[in-house]
Amino acid sequence: MNGWLPEYDESESESTLIIDTANTFGLVEETSDRGVNIDRSKAVGQVDYEGESSDEKQESKEELQNNFEVETTTTTATTTTTTTTKTTTTTSKAPKLVQQNTAIEKNRLYCMVPFIWTPKFLPSYHAIHATWGKRCHILRFFIDPIIGDSQVGYYNITLASDALAAANDANFTLPKDVVVLHDMQRPWHSCEGINDEDKTCRNIWEKIWRAWVYVVTGKGGSTPAGSDVIIGANSSEWFVKVDADTFLFPENLSRYVKSRGWSYDDHHYFGHVLHHRVKDRGVPIVAGAAVFFSRATLVAAADSFQKMSTENGNEEEDGTCRDANTGTEEVVTAVCLKEHSNIIAEPAIDSLGRDEISLFPVDDMIVYNRTDHGEWWFWEGKKRIPCHDAGDCLGDLPLALHGYKDSEFLLYLENEFYGSVMKGQKDDSLAKRNDNKIAAYNWENFDRTYKYFERVRAAMKIAAKEEALGSDISIAKELPAQGKDRLYCMVPFILAPQNMPTYEAIRNTWGKRCDTLKFFVDPIVEDDQGNFIDLRRKSGTKMTLPHDVVVVYHIYRPWHICESKKDTTCRNIWEKVWRSWLWIDDNGESDSSEWFAKIDADSYLFPENAKKYVQDNNMSPDEHHYFGHTLRHSEDRNLPPIVAGSAVFFSRATVKGAAAIFREFKHEEHNKSVRKCSDSYTASEETLTALCLKQHLGIYAAHALDDSGDELIAISPIEDTLLWNRTEQGEWWYWKNKPETDPRTGREIHKCCGDFPIAFHGYKDPLWFYKLEDELYGMDDLPGVTDKWRRYKWHNPNEANSYFDRMRKARNTEV
């Protein structure tokens, strides 16, 4: 069986996705008593992460005595602690400035995380490393010189003696991505347990401005021995201050600035913009959850911070650019940028006005309603857009999601967007609901949160795919407009010269009315000379495929070596169909439409009537639906009714559910069974589709009939099916076990056909597509297309023409 199959070299098949790892984001200092509190009580313990080995710890302790390197010129740090007063002068090595490398990615992101090195917050440090932090180009945690807490003691880490004591007595050693801001003048720890609501004890503004000065100049900071010393604005193109309770999407930053056409050499200061301080400070501010600077803005900011007054630094900020004893770093940052460089905050929003940064947990913010809330500080001064009242006002390619004080939620979000939920992998730790929706956590406002996460996953997959193909991402087209009952038409196909007229006919007729039309082909194609080419190998082929062709690379069974035309299994229809559904979900396209149809290449489809059908029946794409022309002729009572393969329709929810089933399949080379849900060497795709959906999702085939009980899908040419009569024909397989009358009305049902048909099947000669198109829509001659179809005659002209007249009349009446 496998003798024909070349050794599959994945490096030669599909494009390798290279994801930019140079991006990230941050948090808000304001709080409000508005809204519902979400229980986020589970914490991530340090035991969840691998720490240093005992040998590594001992080595670190020995090095700390004399080798705590400082990246600056000689500095003096004097710090008072609750235990003792210690003064030291530390001489540094000369800083090593990073030079710009013109050959590297130009949208790298430097992620600066203000942090306090205390046992309470260490789980957040580990969680950041395990999640979004690994996708930053540079990740640094900026800490005060005082580490520890009242239980383990406080240590001035810039003193060699304290550093050694911290390692020996408290098991505290600093990782190499920590920068100590040893010139900090105000301690963070003096208010611990006394007045936690007093934010100024955290000296947020002082820490922020000193951190940015260090990033540009190397002044005022130091790193543990052996750290990579990275100083200078040329180290990255974009910079962000990130709060530790924020989940970041580093790669989305690069996409965002590209979509805007922004240059890092221009001034850009952006994030979630708030306007409530305009009235007393004269500037909009970027909320601290994620404060982004271009390189030009960083240089300007650092310059202004070095020049600003440090007098009266122990006083609260007053709306001027100076050092201050304050926690409102957002305000002073905005004031300094405007005062010194006339740089104004820009909102990070998509083309629909939706926020790319969520200031509160998504499962809370997804239901925000401006009318219900009133104009509190979050809404104040923002331009009103429809989603402010409808909810779901977050963009599909977010930059940051904020408000996760419990660091375990960073791990949940990682799973949603990068782990087993995103990949559709089996994971017993996932939350599984009765409606078969799988998530990393049982989120509040689950249905709306789940739907939003699905949009994000789809948009990120599409963006990564377009980047791999060399396309630019536009925030104006993250995903097509939502809620339009869009139809995705999937046509299983074989690329061979004899089939190309069908390909062209579909594109020229009914295919152009699909919202998405794609032809799914085997990896073996035939060229014009009759040679079979394996598209999984680069060698030996220069074939260029049309943009609407998808190669299902992992098909194991060939279509082209059948010796007998009676051997239908050589077509491997089942394998192609289930792998095609899986491709749609794996590549983010299961969220590109609400409805999906698998259409045989000899079917003529009416996409607009399929949309009318789901609308007339109030069908939701987020519920399971599987419908078409249902057949019940199987003698095996263990097999459910099937939808005839000529036109099989899935809702979005069913595509995702089916893909989750197919993702667990193992290749079974010799399996030919049609009585278990598995990979199989068979053409019975209808039977196995129905079996899998029933067995795993509890979904049964629904028959597409109109309100009168008439068929909407003809599984043979329409001019023939119009003459079918159950009484005259008897109970052959087509009629077998179908109900004869509607139990509600007693009216005969299953007659052909309704006024708004969905599909006609059985046109092996594709020129009939042009005949149907001309009959029902009007058809002009096309260049390169034969006009022989104009001489075609209907087999039963009276019945056919009468039916077409009825269709046209119904359509005109509907309009």
Side-chain angles (χ1 to χ4, degrees):
M1 161 62 191
N2 278 342
W4 71 276
L5 190 63
E7 192 172 314
Y8 183 32
D9 180 0
E10 293 197 15
S11 66
E12 287 192 342
S13 61
E14 299 174 83
S15 300
T16 301
L17 299 184
I18 301 175
I19 297 180
D20 172 30
T21 57
N23 323 355
T24 301
F25 329 81
L27 171 147
V28 171
E29 302 304 343
E30 281 93 346
T31 60
S32 171
D33 58 0
R34 173 230 47 84
V36 179
N37 291 325
I38 299 175
D39 180 14
R40 308 184 184 281
S41 57
K42 294 182 66 179
V44 179
Q46 290 174 258
V47 295
D48 293 335
Y49 305 93
E50 294 185 8
E52 298 175 292
S53 68
S54 58
D55 291 341
E56 290 171 334
K57 290 179 180 178
Q58 182 61 34
E59 182 180 356
S60 297
K61 293 174 185 177
E62 293 171 354
E63 289 179 349
L64 281 171
Q65 182 72 37
N66 298 310
N67 293 339
F68 195 85
E69 298 177 356
V70 181
E71 298 178 2
T72 68
T73 55
T74 303
T75 60
T76 301
T78 302
T79 307
T80 302
T81 74
T82 57
T83 55
T84 185
T85 301
K86 304 177 182 181
T87 304
T88 184
T89 300
T90 309
T91 303
S92 75
K93 295 181 179 180
K96 174 183 175 183
L97 297 180
V98 175
Q99 299 301 317
Q100 183 174 355
N101 181 350
T102 57
I104 58 180
E105 164 64 39
K106 293 301 183 184
N107 283 313
R108 299 165 299 172
L109 186 67
Y110 187 119
C111 303
M112 183 267 280
V113 186
F115 205 72
I116 294 175
W117 204 260
T118 184
K120 176 182 177 181
F121 298 128
L122 290 185
S124 293
Y125 170 84
H126 293 298
I128 289 170
H129 266 281
T131 59
W132 60 263
K134 59 191 176 184
R135 290 182 286 274
C136 292
H137 178 68
I138 297 173
L139 173 66
R140 292 290 183 269
F141 295 80
F142 286 73
I143 70 171
D144 303 70
I146 304 301
I147 67 173
D149 63 13
S150 58
Q151 300 298 313
V152 301
Y154 294 101
Y155 304 89
N156 180 351
I157 201 66
T158 62
L159 301 175
S161 57
D162 265 24
L164 183 62
N168 287 327
D169 300 340
N171 199 28
F172 265 179
T173 57
L174 295 181
K176 295 178 180 179
D177 55 6
V178 167
V179 177
V180 181
L181 296 173
H182 49 67
D183 285 347
M184 290 282 292
Q185 297 298 306
R186 306 171 193 98
W188 64 269
H189 63 296
S190 59
C191 67
E192 183 187 35
I194 298 173
N195 186 6
D196 287 340
E197 296 302 318
D198 182 7
K199 296 178 185 180
T200 58
C201 71
R202 291 189 285 151
N203 308 308
I204 300 169
W205 167 232
E206 183 186 9
K207 181 180 285 187
I208 296 303
W209 75 257
R210 290 191 185 278
W212 285 134
V213 168
Y214 168 85
V215 171
V216 175
T217 69
K219 296 179 181 179
S222 54
T223 61
S227 301
D228 292 331
V229 181
I230 301 176
I231 299 170
N234 286 340
S235 63
S236 295
E237 287 69 47
W238 302 91
F239 300 79
V240 63
K241 171 258 177 181
V242 186
D243 281 342
D245 61 344
T246 297
F247 187 89
L248 314 173
F249 295 82
E251 63 274 39
N252 284 351
L253 174 69
S254 179
R255 294 162 182 163
Y256 185 80
V257 297
K258 286 180 180 177
S259 72
R260 294 281 182 176
W262 285 356
S263 167
Y264 53 84
D265 288 328
D266 296 327
H267 287 137
H268 294 291
Y269 157 53
F270 61 102
H272 190 119
V273 173
L274 300 171
H275 299 270
H276 65 295
R277 300 305 303 271
V278 173
K279 57 181 177 288
D280 66 339
R281 292 296 181 257
V283 289
I285 66 174
V286 172
V291 182
F292 293 94
F293 290 169
S294 63
R295 180 190 293 165
T297 296
L298 174 66
V299 172
D303 182 62
S304 68
F305 299 157
Q306 292 179 90
K307 293 177 179 178
M308 71 183 180
S309 173
T310 56
E311 295 182 8
N312 303 317
N314 288 324
E315 297 178 4
E316 177 63 56
E317 64 87 16
D318 59 4
T320 62
C321 181
R322 66 169 176 84
D323 185 27
N325 187 10
T326 184
T328 57
E329 48 99 1
E330 301 103 320
V331 172
V332 192
T333 297
V335 168
C336 288
L337 289 174
K338 180 182 179 184
E339 185 177 308
H340 286 266
S341 303
N342 199 31
I343 302 171
I344 306 297
E346 300 174 88
I349 56 177
D350 70 5
S351 61
L352 301 177
R354 300 178 300 184
D355 290 315
E356 300 288 21
I357 298 172
S358 175
L359 297 192
F360 303 97
V362 170
D363 49 351
D364 183 16
M365 194 166 171
I366 199 71
V367 296
Y368 272 20
N369 184 296
R370 189 168 184 172
T371 299
D372 291 346
H373 281 179
E375 294 299 294
W376 57 294
W377 63 259
F378 177 82
W379 296 115
E380 187 176 336
K382 290 182 177 178
K383 180 180 178 181
R384 201 177 195 107
I385 60 174
C387 69
H388 284 176
D389 292 318
D392 296 326
C393 213
L394 298 173
D396 296 340
L397 289 173
L399 300 179
L401 310 176
H402 168 252
Y404 299 98
K405 301 294 185 184
D406 179 350
S407 57
E408 188 164 2
F409 281 84
L410 301 186
L411 304 180
Y412 292 150
L413 292 168
E414 180 76 8
N415 205 341
E416 291 281 3
F417 302 117
Y418 300 92
S420 52
V421 179
M422 178 71 154
K423 298 174 183 176
Q425 296 173 339
K426 187 175 182 181
D427 185 342
D428 293 336
S429 70
L430 300 179
K432 192 176 296 184
R433 293 164 56 95
N434 293 333
D435 54 10
N436 292 300
K437 293 177 180 176
I438 296 175
Y441 183 77
N442 194 18
W443 306 100
E444 296 290 327
N445 302 302
F446 184 88
D447 288 341
R448 295 182 75 169
T449 302
Y450 178 87
K451 185 176 180 180
Y452 173 64
F453 285 174
E454 290 280 80
R455 291 203 332 252
V456 172
R457 284 189 284 264
M460 290 180 66
K461 287 179 181 178
I462 292 170
K465 180 180 176 183
E466 291 190 9
E467 287 164 347
L469 296 174
S471 302
D472 288 333
I473 303 302
S474 170
I475 58 172
K477 62 178 185 65
E478 289 170 7
L479 283 177
Q482 303 292 314
K484 300 296 184 182
D485 284 320
R486 297 161 296 178
L487 183 65
Y488 187 118
C489 302
M490 174 186 87
V491 184
F493 203 71
I494 291 175
L495 273 187
Q498 65 271 24
N499 296 332
M500 297 316 291
T502 298
Y503 169 80
E504 293 296 341
I506 291 173
R507 297 180 71 196
N508 289 330
T509 59
W510 62 261
K512 61 189 178 184
R513 289 183 288 277
C514 294
D515 294 283
T516 300
L517 172 66
K518 291 195 175 178
F519 298 81
F520 286 70
V521 305
D522 301 70
I524 305 298
V525 302
E526 184 179 357
D527 67 13
D528 293 336
Q529 288 73 45
N531 301 312
F532 293 108
I533 300 171
D534 188 343
L535 296 177
R536 292 170 293 195
R537 289 187 176 278
K538 289 183 179 178
S539 57
T541 177
K542 296 182 179 179
M543 180 170 287
T544 300
L545 300 180
H547 71 279
D548 54 6
V549 168
V550 173
V551 180
V552 186
Y553 283 102
H554 295 279
I555 290 180
Y556 284 88
R557 305 175 180 97
W559 64 268
H560 65 297
I561 59 173
C562 298
E563 297 180 358
S564 170
K565 292 183 179 179
K566 295 180 180 180
D567 185 9
T568 57
T569 57
C570 73
R571 292 184 291 146
N572 308 310
I573 300 171
W574 169 233
E575 183 183 16
K576 179 185 283 188
V577 167
W578 74 256
R579 289 192 186 276
S580 297
W581 286 126
L582 186 57
W583 186 97
I584 287 173
D585 192 52
D586 283 347
N587 286 272
E589 299 197 0
S590 54
D591 268 290
S592 66
S593 297
E594 285 69 47
W595 301 95
F596 297 78
K598 172 262 174 184
I599 306 295
D600 280 349
D602 60 343
S603 291
Y604 185 93
L605 181 70
F606 297 86
E608 68 279 17
N609 289 349
K611 296 178 184 182
K612 174 178 166 51
Y613 176 78
V614 299
Q615 291 165 2
D616 289 349
N617 288 277
N618 297 315
M619 297 164 70
S620 168
D622 294 317
E623 297 173 352
H624 285 305
H625 293 288
Y626 158 52
F627 64 93
H629 189 119
T630 301
L631 298 172
R632 305 168 181 269
H633 60 288
S634 174
E635 300 291 343
D636 189 337
R637 294 187 177 182
N638 293 319
L639 295 178
I642 67 173
V643 170
S646 50
V648 181
F649 293 85
F650 284 178
S651 64
R652 175 171 54 205
T654 299
V655 172
K656 294 176 181 294
I661 299 168
F662 303 150
R663 200 169 281 115
E664 299 300 315
F665 279 7
K666 306 298 182 184
H667 173 57
E668 299 183 39
E669 181 177 345
H670 301 295
N671 178 31
K672 295 186 179 181
S673 174
V674 295
R675 286 171 172 76
K676 69 173 183 177
C677 178
S678 63
D679 178 43
S680 185
Y681 187 27
T682 180
S684 299
E685 50 105 356
E686 300 103 322
T687 299
L688 286 169
T689 296
L691 184 65
C692 288
L693 294 179
K694 174 197 171 186
Q695 179 179 325
H696 292 276
L697 300 177
I699 305 170
Y700 286 85
H703 205 123
L705 303 173
D706 68 9
D707 290 342
S708 298
D710 291 338
E711 295 287 359
L712 293 178
I713 298 175
I715 63 174
S716 285
I718 184 62
E719 64 271 28
D720 295 334
T721 311
L722 285 166
L723 298 179
W724 289 0
N725 183 294
R726 189 167 191 166
T727 301
E728 295 176 359
Q729 291 179 328
E731 295 296 297
W732 57 295
W733 63 261
Y734 175 82
W735 296 111
K736 191 171 184 179
N737 295 320
K738 287 181 179 178
E740 295 187 22
T741 58
D742 187 325
R744 299 168 300 172
T745 65
R747 186 182 185 280
E748 182 182 356
I749 57 177
H750 294 292
K751 295 190 301 181
C752 180
C753 275
D755 293 347
F756 295 93
I758 295 175
F760 303 152
H761 173 252
Y763 296 96
K764 300 298 183 184
D765 178 354
L767 293 184
W768 281 105
F769 286 172
Y770 296 109
K771 179 69 173 177
L772 286 164
E773 186 78 7
D774 184 57
E775 189 74 56
L776 299 169
Y777 298 93
M779 185 79 194
D780 295 327
D781 290 337
L782 296 174
V785 176
T786 178
D787 63 354
K788 288 183 180 179
W789 57 269
R790 293 193 179 277
R791 297 191 291 273
Y792 283 18
K793 304 296 183 183
W794 302 114
H795 303 163
N796 303 294
N798 291 335
E799 290 78 2
N801 289 325
S802 176
Y803 177 59
F804 294 149
D805 286 342
R806 181 156 52 94
M807 283 180 59
R808 285 188 287 264
K809 181 178 180 180
R811 185 170 60 198
N812 291 335
T813 301
E814 182 80 5
V815 173

